[in-house]
Amino acid sequence: MAMIPRILSCSLLTALFPLFPALTANAAPIKVATTTTMVSDLVRNVGGDRVVVDGLMGPGVDPHLYKPAATDVVKLSGATVIFYSGLMLEGRMADLFARMGRQGKKVYAVTESIPREKLLEPEAFEGHWDPHVWGDPMLWSLCIETVVNGLSDADPEGRAHYAKRGEAFKEELRELHEWALDRVAGIPKDQRILITSHDAFNYFGNAYGFRVVGLQGISTVGEAGGADMVKMVDFIRQHGVKAVFVESSVPPAAMHRIRDDAGVRIGGELFSDAMGAPGHMETAAGETYDAGTYTGMIKHNVNTIVEALK
């Protein structure tokens, strides 16, 4: 009689064995390839432990100028899902993403879920949308929908997991926006003039009441000319601007020249097209945060601007 339970157990295991590979496969995290550090952060927040994110671009990398290497193509080919920012931010990679999409790869631009009427199309951008949407946390939160849907399509069993984490991250970004409004309130409205290396802060300016003036346009492909620099110096003097800002992903030489010619100071370095290094902890305004996260990136920028202009 003692042998019967063992026999039944073995028979049950034998019957269930074909299910084990499927369970194991579902338990393994899916491979996701991303472009910018902001997109990588977005996917990690939504995916949690069900995804492994391999970002192509690190801190300080300018997506406008980025050229994919052969190793990047390998990463993209080996990924189950690909997420990129879109709106021509990764201009030199657009053809590669389109080709992979035609070949059946799951490829998503996270900005697909932003209604086009919420996008900016400044005249200087020559008919293109301004791609720097992450400057406004509430606008960036709309990109969560694309990530939730894309991951759920690749991993249907994780749909509830992705939806729950997506909603939690939306709430975190809403709180971040409210925090930023409170911090910026310390700057008189007539002093909210933000001068940076290139036009990457228009959405930020709209969200927090800044007049934004970039030395270069939407992209960093070109260089600022002498006439642009003279015009900028005149503007700074005319408006009594206290400080100008350099960017982590743009060479600072031009802004240093503006500083010298206008007799103004550098207010600090802002994160524009890339976040800080992961694990780079900062303490300001009574709290500590990681500048290598999206939330930390926004807090770094707001704190830097407020301290320089208030």
Side-chain angles (χ1 to χ4, degrees), residues 2-274:
M3 293 295 293
I4 293 177
R6 293 181 183 178
I7 294 173
L8 289 174
S9 298
C10 291
S11 300
L12 183 60
L13 289 172
T14 301
L16 291 176
F17 183 78
L19 297 178
F20 289 174
L23 291 173
T24 301
N26 289 332
I30 61 174
K31 294 181 179 180
V32 182
T34 54
T35 53
T36 69
T37 55
M38 292 78 71
V39 174
S40 298
D41 177 271
L42 186 62
V43 175
R44 289 191 181 101
N45 271 286
V46 174
D49 58 6
R50 293 187 74 94
V51 303
V52 172
V53 178
D54 198 352
L56 304 186
M57 305 177 195
V61 174
D62 184 347
H64 298 289
L65 303 178
Y66 189 79
K67 296 179 181 179
T71 53
D72 292 333
V73 177
V74 173
K75 291 178 182 179
L76 294 169
S77 299
T80 303
V81 194
I82 298 170
F83 290 102
Y84 66 106
S85 193
L87 301 177
M88 294 186 68
L89 179 72
E90 307 96 339
R92 301 191 178 195
M93 303 184 72
D95 291 342
L96 175 61
F97 293 139
R99 184 166 64 251
M100 287 187 159
R102 290 194 296 269
Q103 294 172 351
K105 180 72 70 175
K106 297 181 185 298
V107 182
Y108 304 92
V110 299
T111 50
E112 288 176 0
S113 46
I114 298 179
R116 288 310 182 247
E117 63 269 19
K118 292 183 179 293
L119 295 175
L120 299 176
E121 191 178 5
E123 183 178 344
F125 284 22
E126 300 178 349
H128 299 299
W129 303 114
D130 184 342
H132 305 94
V133 294
W134 56 87
D136 179 350
M138 296 306 294
L139 201 58
W140 189 237
S141 71
L142 299 179
C143 299
I144 292 173
E145 178 184 345
T146 298
V147 177
V148 169
N149 292 339
L151 292 178
S152 299
D153 187 40
D155 175 23
E157 292 189 4
R159 185 177 301 276
H161 169 86
Y162 301 131
K164 181 178 180 180
R165 290 185 63 90
E167 288 301 316
F169 194 44
K170 283 182 183 179
E171 178 61 20
E172 179 179 332
L173 297 189
R174 186 193 66 76
E175 293 175 357
L176 175 64
H177 176 62
E178 294 297 327
W179 171 90
L181 287 172
D182 288 341
R183 284 289 283 146
V184 168
I187 306 176
K189 290 185 178 180
D190 62 347
Q191 294 180 25
R192 295 183 193 178
I193 299 177
L194 181 60
I195 296 181
T196 59
S197 302
H198 84 299
D199 255 338
F201 290 89
N202 288 311
Y203 293 102
F204 177 91
N206 274 9
Y208 304 115
F210 284 88
R211 180 177 180 181
V212 179
V213 183
L215 181 59
Q216 293 174 252
I218 181 176
S219 175
T220 54
V221 173
E223 295 183 357
D228 296 322
M229 301 185 78
V230 169
K231 185 178 179 181
M232 179 68 79
V233 169
D234 290 342
F235 179 89
I236 291 170
R237 290 172 175 168
Q238 179 182 353
H239 292 85
V241 177
K242 291 183 177 182
V244 299
F245 300 88
V246 296
E247 300 173 28
S248 64
S249 56
V250 181
M255 294 307 292
H256 285 170
R257 180 177 169 185
I258 292 291
R259 172 200 61 192
D260 296 339
D261 292 349
V264 70
R265 66 189 180 90
I266 299 293
E269 182 181 68
L270 304 180
F271 297 122
S272 54
D273 292 342

